[in-house]
Amino acid sequence: MSTSDTIFAPATAPGRAGIAVIRISGAKTLKALDRLGVGSLKPRVMTRAKLNDPTTADTLDDALVVWFETPNSFTGEDVAELHIHGGPAVVESVLSALNGVGGLRPAEPGEFTRRAFDAGKLDLTQAEALADLVDADTRAQARQALRQMGGALKTTYDDWRERLVKALAHLEAVIDFPDEDLPDDTAQALWGAVEGLEKELSKHLADDGRGERLRNGIHVAIIGPPNAGKSSLLNLLAQREAAIVSEIAGTTRDVIDVHLDLDGYPVLIADTAGLRSTTDTIEDEGVRRARNRAENSDLVVALFDGAVYPNRDPATVELIDDSTLVVVNKSDLLDQARELEHDIDDEWRATHFVSVKDGFGVDMLISTLTRKVAELCDEGTEAPITRARHRHALTECQTAMTRARSANLPELAAEDLRLAVRALGRLTGHVDVEDLLDVVFGDFCIGK
Ligand SMILES: Nc1nc2c(ncn2[C@@H]2O[C@H](COP(=O)(O)OP(=O)(O)OP(=O)(O)O)[C@@H](O)[C@H]2O)c(=O)[nH]1
Ligand SMILES: [Mg+2]
């Protein structure tokens, strides 16, 4: 596949729609428009034009066409967008007409973005953010993707890389030009800079996975004794009958996942088997899965059965920790249910009393759940790491810096700093490490 080919592809999803957009990018873009019978266009001005079949001259569609002149386009090349009617027959006929134009070929997946990256229009973190934005199911996910696409991570990583390259250049200068007129504190200053960077990196890495969590969805598990109403609560939150509800204890055996959008946050909530010891091997496996899911969730809702209040199921109590939301269901069965919240002993403090049956306390529970989920994603502070790839490269960079600081030979330290620079470079797609001499000569005027 040549990168000099002019490429085209539908930019909108397949299927029937009012409008479909076909995008063309490359040097032959204007030629392609000409072959379709589109007259001359002003850049960036949407123009109505008839698209004709280049061989038969049949009209294919009455369209709107816009052209972006190189380098001021998404890919940096000449780009055109054909806004055509979104019926499969129209789309197919225009694509096939474009395929017949010499030098044009259908784009590979991701090829437009690849070209934008090659043209320096965006770095790797921005290209990933673009994919995340297209994949975003909820508003908070879209916000995070937009922030990263705007360069929130790129700016930080570029800055770190620049500072690291500078430290490395200074170290190279100390190694290569020991007799030259270097400022006395060069070595001390450069190691101070590396140490400072290491601290910033550690802080960035200690983000508790909030960016990845928002990107992948927050995992919540409902656990509790059999018959507490876990499946009923799940169905209420999902607003559909996702799980079977019955008065028979031990109804739910498997983990049942439901996707929720809680005020813009993506949540994967799991209903689980009631916790109890049983000789039924299938139910026992269900209980094992329930415990496993509770362990691997970001948040656990421990649901107790109000029918036996104030008795607390010990197996469920065992799984409660600081991040557990404690809830008692079936408060409609409690004598003074509505007053209980004001008059309970320490064990039950901060407990939500709800009734899935009559809706009591449910709104309050949902708003607490939403608040906790929002806290777990903590969007307020700096832009977070959003992928394992970022975390891996940053950890590698950090390890190399730590090694460099304790190396006993400056040459070995330099090699480690070089690895650290490379790890950061891989993050953003900035791979050339040898922009060092500019810094050396710029700072010290060595050799004049
Ligand atoms: N009175 C009352 N009954 C409820 C309430 N919520 C659920 N129930 C009933 O409690 C019984 C058990 O409900 P489920 O939702 O199946 O309970 P579960 O916790 O999923 O039970 P297992 O799957 O067996 O672990 C059903 O008969 C429900 O109708 C409530 O708020 N009040
Ligand atoms: Mg159930």
Side-chain angles (χ1 to χ4, degrees):
M1 285 295 141
S2 167
T3 50
S4 63
D5 290 342
T6 294
I7 52 174
F8 63 92
T12 40
R16 219 173 285 277
I19 303 287
V21 177
I22 293 175
R23 194 152 51 162
I24 311 169
S25 176
K28 298 215 164 68
T29 297
L30 286 182
K31 175 186 162 193
L33 293 182
D34 181 61
R35 295 293 304 279
L36 291 175
V38 178
S40 69
L41 296 172
K42 272 197 198 150
R44 295 171 172 266
V45 176
M46 192 75 121
T47 308
R48 186 172 172 184
K50 287 232 162 52
L51 304 182
N52 300 326
D53 187 313
T55 40
T56 62
D58 286 347
T59 299
L60 303 174
D61 197 13
D62 190 356
L64 288 172
V65 182
V66 61
W67 167 58
F68 302 89
E69 189 174 16
T70 178
N72 302 315
S73 70
F74 174 63
T75 60
E77 305 174 323
D78 271 340
V79 168
E81 281 176 14
L82 310 175
H83 294 237
I84 60 178
H85 291 98
V90 180
V91 174
E92 176 47 39
S93 69
V94 176
L95 289 176
S96 125
L98 287 171
N99 212 15
V101 178
L104 261 67
R105 65 165 168 84
E108 297 287 311
E111 201 172 2
F112 286 93
T113 314
R114 175 68 199 258
R115 289 188 177 194
F117 170 75
D118 287 341
K121 294 277 174 183
L122 31 79
D123 80 339
L124 281 186
T125 65
Q126 290 172 309
E128 286 170 335
L130 184 60
D132 289 349
L133 185 61
V134 173
D135 282 341
D137 284 320
T138 72
R139 275 179 295 136
Q141 284 177 315
R143 270 200 303 272
Q144 173 162 287
L146 274 170
R147 191 172 177 185
Q148 187 175 323
M149 210 169 80
L153 291 183
K154 175 185 189 295
T155 315
T156 308
Y157 299 157
D158 282 351
D159 170 59
W160 287 349
R161 186 178 178 281
E162 217 167 276
R163 283 155 60 191
L164 208 49
V165 166
K166 193 164 180 157
L168 175 56
H170 288 190
L171 181 58
E172 299 274 8
V174 171
I175 297 169
D176 291 347
F177 309 103
D179 300 329
E180 294 290 332
D181 193 16
L182 296 177
D184 289 344
D185 62 349
T186 303
Q188 203 187 340
L190 87 87
W191 289 120
V194 172
E195 195 180 348
L197 259 177
E198 229 183 298
K199 284 203 180 111
E200 282 178 53
L201 221 84
S202 302
K203 192 166 154 253
H204 185 60
L205 276 166
D207 66 354
D208 191 29
R210 61 196 165 90
E212 286 133 305
R213 198 179 284 135
L214 177 52
R215 190 169 158 261
N216 300 325
I218 297 91
H219 291 239
V220 178
I222 308 174
I223 58 153
N227 243 349
K230 300 179 296 299
S231 302
S232 308
L233 177 62
L234 180 90
N235 290 350
L236 181 83
L237 295 171
Q239 295 175 353
R240 65 187 169 89
E241 301 300 308
I244 300 172
V245 166
S246 91
E247 68 288 347
I248 303 164
T251 300
T252 306
R253 302 293 182 89
D254 236 329
V255 175
I256 298 169
D257 283 312
V258 167
H259 289 273
L260 297 179
D261 178 339
L262 282 186
D263 198 25
Y265 294 97
V267 170
L268 191 69
I269 190 158
D271 175 25
T272 61
L275 302 173
R276 68 169 172 185
S277 42
T278 163
T279 50
D280 181 323
T281 46
I282 297 171
E283 190 183 351
D284 196 49
E285 171 62 16
V287 172
R288 195 190 64 77
R289 289 182 187 200
R291 290 179 182 282
N292 188 283
R293 182 55 74 97
E295 220 165 85
N296 293 305
S297 287
D298 301 304
L299 198 66
V300 170
V301 174
L303 193 71
F304 290 96
D305 190 345
V308 295
Y309 178 84
N311 186 1
R312 300 214 301 176
D313 170 56
T316 307
V317 171
E318 235 174 64
L319 297 178
I320 294 179
D321 64 23
D322 286 348
S323 65
T324 311
L325 207 58
V326 180
V327 184
V328 174
N329 185 33
K330 306 190 189 176
S331 71
D332 52 289
L333 300 181
L334 300 176
D335 287 346
Q336 311 143 335
R338 272 79 179 158
E339 289 91 51
L340 271 169
E341 279 165 274
H342 308 290
D343 186 25
I344 50 179
D345 58 29
D346 275 351
E347 204 172 55
W348 291 101
R349 213 164 285 288
T351 296
H352 282 265
F353 285 84
V354 302
S355 165
V356 172
K357 189 175 172 186
D358 69 12
F360 174 78
V362 169
D363 285 349
M364 181 88 101
L365 174 63
I366 292 176
S367 70
T368 307
L369 200 59
T370 308
R371 185 167 44 74
K372 292 218 173 234
V373 164
E375 279 169 12
L376 282 169
C377 299
D378 183 20
E379 286 184 278
T381 48
E382 307 155 22
I385 296 165
T386 53
R387 285 168 194 252
R389 188 185 81 80
H390 304 165
R391 199 169 287 286
H392 183 76
L394 288 166
T395 309
E396 213 174 286
C397 175
Q398 190 190 34
T399 315
M401 279 197 281
T402 313
R403 244 191 350 248
R405 287 206 297 124
S406 59
N408 39 23
L409 280 178
E411 286 78 5
L412 293 180
E415 193 44 40
D416 279 326
L417 284 191
R418 212 181 286 275
L419 288 177
V421 172
R422 255 185 221 133
L424 276 186
R426 269 207 307 281
L427 254 187
T428 55
H430 196 148
V431 280
D432 50 329
V433 185
E434 301 305 333
D435 30 7
L436 292 178
L437 282 181
D438 288 351
V439 184
V440 177
F441 284 103
D443 273 19
F444 302 125
C445 304
I446 290 161
K448 298 276 174 342

